[in-house]
Amino acid sequence: MEVMMGSKNFALIGAAGYIAPRHMKAIKETGNELVAALDPYDGIGIMDSNFPQADFFTEFERFDRFVDKWHRDTGKKIDYVSICSPNYLHDSHIRFALKSGADAICEKPLVLNPHNIDQLKVIEEETGQRVYNILQLRLHPSIIALKEKIAKELKEDPDKVYDIDLTYLTSRGKWYFISWKGDTAKSGGIASNIGVHFYDMLIWIFGEVEENIVHLKTADTNAGSFKLKNANVRWFLSVNYDYIPETIKASGQRTYRSITVDGEELEFSGGFTDLHTRSYEEILKGNGFGLDEAYPSIRTVSTIRNLEPVGLQGTHHPFCEKVVAR
């Protein structure tokens, strides 16, 4: 772990969420300070083991006032605002960060639609601040090794096309569909909520999306296929426990993640624990992933959201049969 020189001041929006502890850990492990945090939910014991002295707010208006007043009272500024709020609020909270004179570090999906990124670029220009997206898979050792391997092979054969299956099943209870995550207008749907970073990784390695087809679209499952510049991809995403393979269920696990490239399984089950800290290290060096890097995957999930499913036509993911059989 690399500790940065010169402590920076952070604020955090969405402190009670699932992903917020990773951001707190990253702020702490990179030697920085959390000054203030915001969340409508006020039961946040995780603050005690990270930044017990941080000011905490349950109302945005009071948080906004504090950030402005703290700057005037202390002569210091909030350098970064980390954003872990519900997906549909990311755009607004990024704007707040930039207009407050801070850079924004935002969880995926950065925003729900490509036109939001276009507007954020304008605000970056106006304020001189930067927006960074957490795209942690790009920092995973196995993914980096795959990118290097594919780049070498494509140098020898630029027209090579790989066959890829992406399967990601992460079981969620009934609460999921009652929460904002179950509301497509707020989460962007299954593809935006749990698929966007996988799409980003595949586009990063195999090239832009040339064709985008959705085979199935239900409240708990999305499935489809992409034609990338150098790959044909079949993908299946679900939060339904029933679709997890029996061998995985038998081991007591509730998550199944698989990516195969030309039939060969990509092993990347471990190595995730420190990727947020690695992301922060790179951002603090000025090497983070900005708006341009986020654009392809956001365009992809926005397209998926607006496409009508075609059913089990053409080349579909084999798990689609599980959905139809129910």
Side-chain angles (χ1 to χ4, degrees):
M1 193 234 1
E2 183 177 346
V3 177
M4 301 296 154
M5 298 299 293
S7 180
K8 300 291 185 182
N9 296 310
F10 280 75
L12 175 65
I13 300 177
Y18 163 77
I19 207 70
R22 298 188 198 180
H23 286 259
M24 293 183 203
K25 179 171 175 276
I27 293 168
K28 190 172 184 178
E29 290 188 343
T30 52
N32 297 297
E33 189 63 36
L34 182 63
V35 175
L38 165 70
D39 202 288
Y41 178 71
D42 61 6
I44 313 180
I46 191 70
M47 297 285 294
D48 293 338
S49 56
N50 288 283
F51 296 100
Q53 301 306 315
D55 282 273
F56 177 72
F57 302 88
T58 59
E59 296 169 289
F60 179 81
E61 293 78 7
R62 291 185 173 184
F63 175 77
D64 179 12
R65 181 178 64 186
F66 172 86
V67 169
D68 182 62
K69 189 171 183 294
W70 187 81
H71 162 62
R72 298 176 193 283
D73 289 350
T74 65
K76 297 184 284 188
K77 66 186 282 270
I78 300 294
D79 299 293
Y80 295 92
V81 176
S82 298
I83 298 165
C84 306
S85 51
N87 301 348
Y88 72 108
L89 297 176
H90 287 178
D91 183 49
S92 176
H93 291 155
I94 291 169
R95 290 164 183 258
F96 162 78
L98 300 181
K99 291 175 180 178
S100 299
D103 288 349
I105 301 175
C106 188
E107 263 302 330
K108 52 83 184 166
L110 184 74
V111 287
L112 294 182
N113 298 293
H115 65 79
N116 300 128
I117 294 180
D118 297 333
Q119 294 165 14
L120 291 175
K121 283 185 177 181
V122 174
I123 302 172
E124 273 193 336
E125 289 289 327
E126 290 174 349
T127 61
Q129 303 302 139
R130 292 286 313 278
V131 180
Y132 297 104
N133 196 190
I134 297 291
L135 298 172
Q136 71 268 36
L137 284 183
R138 295 194 186 197
L139 300 176
H140 192 292
S142 296
I143 304 301
I144 292 171
L146 176 65
K147 182 173 173 62
E148 291 171 351
K149 174 180 178 287
I150 299 300
K152 183 179 178 183
E153 291 175 1
L154 290 177
K155 194 171 181 181
E156 297 171 359
D157 181 6
D159 297 322
K160 183 174 172 61
V161 176
Y162 297 82
D163 289 318
I164 297 170
D165 278 359
L166 162 64
T167 315
Y168 183 46
L169 310 173
T170 178
S171 307
R172 295 288 184 265
K174 292 181 179 179
W175 68 269
Y176 181 94
F177 302 98
I178 302 300
S179 77
W180 64 267
K181 296 187 179 193
D183 183 342
T184 297
K186 293 182 176 181
S187 71
I190 295 285
S192 294
N193 213 31
I194 68 171
V196 65
H197 54 314
F198 291 109
Y199 302 150
D200 170 76
M201 179 264 286
L202 292 173
I203 294 168
W204 183 54
I205 296 173
F206 296 98
E208 289 284 345
V209 176
E210 297 178 353
E211 184 181 49
N212 192 341
I213 297 170
V214 174
H215 295 291
L216 297 175
K217 191 186 291 184
T218 69
D220 61 24
T221 303
N222 281 186
S225 59
F226 300 132
K227 186 179 188 308
L228 304 181
K229 184 175 183 293
N230 292 106
N232 294 317
V233 181
R234 302 186 301 183
W235 57 271
F236 185 94
L237 308 170
S238 183
V239 294
N240 190 329
Y241 176 75
D242 291 344
Y243 302 144
I244 289 181
E246 293 301 325
T247 53
I248 304 299
K249 289 180 183 177
S251 67
Q253 296 180 56
R254 295 180 58 83
T255 297
Y256 175 70
R257 183 194 294 115
S258 170
I259 295 177
T260 61
V261 180
D262 286 347
E264 185 176 336
E265 186 77 31
L266 172 64
E267 175 51 51
F268 68 121
S269 55
F272 283 90
T273 51
D274 295 321
L275 291 183
H276 276 72
T277 298
R278 285 279 299 111
S279 298
Y280 271 65
E281 287 171 357
E282 292 303 317
I283 289 167
L284 289 160
K285 291 179 193 171
N287 299 332
F289 304 117
L291 294 177
D292 287 337
E293 284 90 351
Y295 200 94
S297 59
I298 297 302
R299 182 172 56 212
T300 300
V301 293
S302 178
T303 301
I304 290 170
R305 193 179 314 126
N306 292 295
L307 282 173
E308 288 295 321
V310 300
L312 303 195
Q313 299 180 24
T315 307
H316 57 270
H317 193 289
F319 274 47
C320 290
E321 311 291 345
K322 296 189 177 193
V323 182
V324 174
R326 294 188 80 212

